[in-house]
Amino acid sequence: MSVTTMVTGLEGEKAPALQLETLLALGLDQRTAENALVNSKVTANLAAVIAEAGISGCDKSVGNLLYAVATKHPNSALVHRPALINYIVSTKIKSPAQLDAALSFLSNVGPEYLDIGKFEEACGVGVVVSIEDIHSTVAEILKENMEAILEQRYHINVGSLCGQVRKKHPWGDAKATKDEIEKRLAEILGPKTEADNVKPVKKKKEKPAKVEEKKVAVATAAPPSEEELNPYTIFPQPAENNKVHTEIFFSDGNIWRAHNTKEILEKHLIETGGKVMTRFPPEPNGYLHIGHAKAMFIDFGLAKERDGHCYLRFDDTNPEAEKKEYIDHIQEIVQWMGWEPYKVTFTSDYFQALYEHAVELIRKGLAYVDHQTGEQIKEYREKKMDSPWRNRPTEESLQLFEDMRRGLIAEGAATLRMKQDMQNDNKNMSDLIAYRIKFTPHPHAGDKWCIYPSYDYAHCMVDSFENITHSLCTLEFDIRRPSYYWLLVALGLYQPHVWEYSRLNISNTVMSKRKLNRLVTEKWVDGWDDPRLLTLAGLRRRGVSATAINSFIRGIGITRSDNSLIRVDRLEYHIREELNKTASRTMVVLHPLKVVITNLEDGKVIDLDGKKWPDAPADDASSYYKVPFSRTVYIEKTDFRLKDSKDYYGLAPGKSALLRYAFPIKCTEVIYGDNSDEIVEIRAEYDPSKTSKPKGVLHWVAEPAPGVEPLKVEIRLFEKLFLSENPAELEDWLGDLNPNSKEIVKGAYAVPSLATAVLGDKFQFERLGYFAVDTESTLEKLVFNRTVTLRDSYGKAGPK
C-alpha cells in the first residue's frame, strides 16, 4: 500500500507530496520510512532535505545520513544545511562519525559565517584513511592487546579493539576496521574450540570461584588489613564531594564533567550538618535476600561508622509489582538485621517534585513525548537512530505530557523520554524513558497519578532531594553512572558521590528476584521464608542469626572486584562459628532403634546430667539438663551394625559403646522382625561401674518412665536447593533443583528438657548438627529445622 503525506516547507509553501516509495528509494528501511511519514515535522524536514539534495534515489549509506540531517540538524544553523547536504551527496562526508562532527560544528557556528577550512578540518573532509592504514593500525592495536587476546581468545571485546583503532583513525571505514580485526583474530587464534563457544559469562563466574577459595587459604594466616578492620575507610568525607564524579562522553565529542559547584556543596553541607547520609533503597516487589544484607551492611554500616544517617527508602515507581506485604516485611527484616533507619521514605513521596522537574526538562529542550512502541525503541537504539518525534516542538511535548498526566492518552501510546544522546555507545544514554502511563492505583500514593517515573529518572533525583552523600549500588549499575549524572547536571541539582561494589553471588542458589518469585509462586518451595532459600526470612527461619550474616558479609569485604562465586560453605562457616558459642547442647535421635538394657531392673530410672556446654562448670546447675536413663533406650539405627570392623566405633554384636553422659553398654542379642533384614530391637547390658572404656560414644534417648514413649518431635533436614554451583547460568535452571533438598523426619525422639522449646531457641543436637525451632512448631507438635551440619568443609579454622 502506498503511503502519501502532504508537507509544508520551512517557509510555509506547499511541498510536493512525500510518498513511502520516495523514502524507500533513499535506502531507508520500511519501518523507519513509515514512522517518518506519521510525524509532520520529520516529514517536512525530509522533504526539504530531498529537495535541497536534488535527488530521487541514492545509496543506503547516503540516505541514512540525509535522514540524520533531517532529524538532527540544529535549527539555528539551517542556513548552512544545503552546504552540508552537498558534502553528503558528493560523498565528501560519508560516515556517521563525520556527520556527527559536522553537526556539532554547525551547532556552535549557528547562522554566522561558515569557515569552510575549519569546517572541513573538524569533520575530516579530504582525510584519506587507506585500507593499508587500517591494516597497519589494527596490527599495532592487536600487538598491544596480545596478552588479553591469548587469554580471552574469541571472548575478547572486539568493540573495544575497534574503539582503539578509531581513536587513531576517527574517519576510517568502521566496517573495514571490524572485518580486519576479526580476520586477524582468526589468523592468530585459529578455529574456534568448544570452549570458545561457551558463553563468556560462564567462564567469568566459574574461574573466580577457585580464586576465592585460594585467597581464603592464604588469608587465614595473614594479619587483618586496615580495610578488614574498618571496611568503610575507602569512602570519602562529605566535604570532599566537589571533585569530578565522572566524565560523560557524548558522541559529538562534547564532555560533561559532573561535579558539585562550591555553592551547591556548601548549601548541601549546611542542610546536612556535614553528616554522612546514605540510603537503602529496595523495591517492594519481593522478600529481601542475602544480597540485600550486603547492601544494608554497606549503606547502614557506613552511616553508623561515620555517625551519620541512613534512609530506608522504598523505590516504589512500579505500582503493578508492589505490595504492602513486601513493605511490611522489608521494614521488619531491616530491624531484625540490626539496622535502625533515620527515616522511612518512599520515592512516591516525591512524585510531585519529580513531575515538576520533568516539565522543566521539556522546557529546556531535554525531554520529549514519544510514541514509539517498546520494540521500536529497542530497534532504534540498536541502530543509533533518533525517534521521529525527538525534535517535536517544546510546546507540543508540554501539552502531550499534560494530557498524559490527565489520563487523556491510552496506556502504552506515549512515553516521556530524556533527550540524551542516541548515537552514544553507552545504551544507557540512548534517550531513556522518564515517564510511562499506567492506569493502576498506587499502593502508597493512591489514585492521584496515572503516569509513573522510571527508576532511571527518579533514583538520582530522590538521592539529591534527600541530600545523600554516598549513593552506593552494585556493579551492574556502573554503566548507568553517566545517565545518573546527566540528569542532575541538566537540572542543576546537588550530585551525590556514586560508588559501585561487587554483587554477592553464592553457590547452589539463585539470587534474582524474578527467579525467586518463580520458585515461590509456582510452589517449587514453601514460600518466601522456605529455609532452603537464601532470603533473609528463609535464613532466619532456618535458625541463622543476623549476627552470623553480618559477620559473613564483613568477611567477604566491600570491593569492586568481579562478581566471583562465593561457596555456600563460607556462609556456613560463620553460622557454625556463632552457634558453637550460643547453641546449647542436647540429644535427639532421628531414626530410633530400640535397645533394652537387660541388667537394669524394671521400673528403675536414673537421672543423669547432660552438659549444655562443653566447658560447663561443675558448680553451675544452669549449665546442665536432666537425662533419664531407663531400661528402654533408643539409639540411631546407623549406630548399629551386624558386622564389626576396626574403623567402626558404633555398637555391634558382642561389642561395647558408651552412651553419652551415661554408661557403657554391650550388645548381647539382636531381635529380628518378620524377616532377617529387619532389626526391631537390641538387647544389651550396661556397665554401672564404668570399668570398660569403649572408643565409640553414642547419643541416645530413653523412656522417661516405664512404658512411656519419649518426647516425639519432627525434624526437617535441608540440603542445597540446587545441584549445580551456579544454576543461574543454566537455561533449564529449574531442572537443576535438588530433589533431596528437604527431608522430614516425623518419628524422632528427644530428651524431655526439649518439651519447652519455643521459637527462637537454638540447639546443637549432639553428633547431628545445629537446629532451631520452626515457625510451625507448637507445644503439642515440636518442629526443628537443621540450620547447619557439624561438618565444616570451608576451612580448618572452623569448629568440627
Side-chain angles (χ1 to χ4, degrees), residues 403-573:
D403 291 345
M404 287 170 62
R405 185 189 69 80
R406 294 172 59 196
L408 302 178
I409 298 178
E411 189 168 325
T415 58
L416 182 71
R417 294 177 66 183
M418 294 176 270
K419 191 182 288 188
Q420 295 169 302
D421 184 7
M422 287 298 294
Q423 283 67 48
N424 203 299
D425 289 335
N426 184 344
K427 297 303 179 186
N428 288 282
M429 285 291 289
S430 298
D431 289 11
L432 299 181
I433 291 174
Y435 272 87
R436 70 273 198 220
I437 302 168
K438 286 183 182 292
F439 293 110
T440 303
H442 192 280
H444 186 68
D447 58 3
K448 179 180 178 181
W449 299 92
C450 63
I451 55 171
Y452 293 101
S454 67
Y455 170 88
D456 291 294
Y457 175 77
H459 186 69
C460 60
M461 274 200 278
V462 178
D463 277 354
S464 184
F465 296 160
E466 293 183 342
N467 272 311
I468 299 304
T469 57
H470 300 76
S471 180
L472 310 171
C473 51
T474 47
L475 272 173
E476 68 266 30
F477 291 95
D478 180 60
I479 58 172
R480 291 185 174 184
R481 192 190 283 203
S483 64
Y484 180 102
Y485 283 120
W486 178 90
L487 190 51
L488 297 179
V489 171
L491 292 168
L493 297 175
Y494 160 76
Q495 301 165 29
H497 172 80
V498 174
W499 193 83
E500 301 88 3
Y501 53 87
S502 60
R503 282 175 64 93
L504 177 57
N505 294 305
I506 299 181
S507 68
N508 301 95
T509 191
V510 292
M511 303 284 276
S512 97
K513 276 192 179 180
R514 181 181 61 81
K515 286 184 169 66
L516 288 171
N517 191 59
R518 279 197 66 185
L519 289 173
V520 173
T521 56
E522 295 177 15
K523 301 191 182 304
W524 295 99
V525 295
D526 304 322
W528 286 101
D529 65 345
D530 188 304
R532 292 168 291 179
L533 295 175
L534 291 194
T535 58
L536 295 177
L539 286 166
R540 176 171 61 179
R541 183 175 177 183
R542 188 162 176 158
V544 179
S545 71
T547 303
I549 295 171
N550 285 326
S551 174
F552 164 68
I553 299 297
R554 177 179 282 273
I556 60 177
I558 306 172
T559 68
R560 282 181 59 87
S561 61
D562 63 359
N563 301 322
S564 57
L565 191 65
I566 306 296
R567 290 179 58 86
V568 70
D569 307 29
R570 187 167 179 177
L571 170 63
E572 292 175 349
Y573 165 77

Side-chain angles (χ1 to χ4, degrees), residues 707-771:
V708 177
E709 184 181 30
L711 176 66
K712 186 176 283 188
V713 297
E714 181 177 305
I715 305 295
R716 297 175 182 177
L717 306 174
F718 302 105
E719 297 293 342
K720 296 178 176 68
L721 185 57
F722 290 91
L723 298 171
S724 300
E725 281 204 341
N726 203 345
E729 288 187 340
L730 303 177
E731 186 174 345
D732 181 21
W733 60 278
L734 287 172
D736 190 55
L737 282 165
N738 181 2
N740 302 312
S741 62
K742 179 180 179 180
E743 178 188 353
I744 298 178
V745 180
K746 291 184 176 291
Y749 286 153
V751 293
S753 59
L754 275 178
T756 57
V758 294
L759 186 64
D761 288 346
K762 299 171 185 178
F763 305 92
Q764 184 195 103
F765 293 173
E766 296 208 41
R767 298 180 67 226
L768 297 177
Y770 294 99
F771 292 77

Side-chain angles (χ1 to χ4, degrees), residues 284 314 323-334:
F314 289 100
K323 294 181 182 178
K324 188 176 185 301
E325 172 195 353
Y326 301 143
I327 293 172
D328 293 343
H329 156 73
I330 291 170
Q331 288 190 259
E332 188 270 332
I333 211 74
V334 167

Side-chain angles (χ1 to χ4, degrees), residues 38 66 94 173 240 249 332 354 386 444 459 521 546 552 559 603 623:
V38 298
L66 292 176
K94 50 191 174 184
D173 188 315
E240 298 173 319
F249 295 94
E332 188 270 332
L354 292 168
D386 290 349
H444 186 68
H459 186 69
T521 56
F552 164 68
T559 68
S623 295

Side-chain angles (χ1 to χ4, degrees), residues 227-368:
E227 285 186 13
E228 288 173 322
L229 294 172
N230 182 359
Y232 307 108
T233 56
I234 59 177
F235 298 112
Q237 296 292 340
E240 298 173 319
N241 196 7
N242 59 351
K243 301 171 184 177
V244 174
H245 298 292
T246 194
E247 291 184 331
I248 307 172
F249 295 94
F250 290 86
S251 59
D252 62 5
N254 285 333
I255 302 175
W256 286 7
R257 292 178 173 84
H259 67 284
N260 286 311
T261 64
K262 181 181 177 182
E263 294 74 21
I264 288 178
L265 182 59
E266 285 179 351
K267 180 175 180 290
H268 159 79
L269 292 172
I270 290 172
E271 291 175 355
T272 63
K275 284 184 174 290
V276 164
M277 306 291 288
T278 61
R279 82 287 177 272
F280 173 58
E283 185 177 358
N285 61 355
Y287 278 47
L288 301 187
H289 55 65
I290 195 167
H292 294 103
K294 180 174 182 179
M296 280 188 261
F297 182 84
I298 297 172
D299 293 325
F300 283 100
L302 172 61
K304 182 177 180 180
E305 195 272 336
R306 299 281 178 88
D307 192 27
H309 300 300
C310 181
Y311 287 86
L312 168 58
R313 183 205 306 156
F314 289 100
D315 177 26
D316 58 343
T317 58
N318 184 2
E320 295 172 331
E322 289 137 21
K323 294 181 182 178
K324 188 176 185 301
E325 172 195 353
Y326 301 143
I327 293 172
D328 293 343
H329 156 73
I330 291 170
Q331 288 190 259
E332 188 270 332
I333 211 74
V334 167
Q335 297 274 352
W336 177 74
M337 283 297 297
W339 305 116
E340 187 67 38
Y342 169 56
K343 289 180 181 178
V344 177
T345 61
F346 296 78
T347 296
S348 55
D349 295 339
Y350 305 96
F351 274 0
Q352 183 62 39
L354 292 168
Y355 169 78
E356 290 169 2
H357 278 299
V359 172
E360 180 184 349
L361 274 182
I362 298 172
R363 293 191 188 282
K364 288 185 171 185
L366 295 175
Y368 61 97

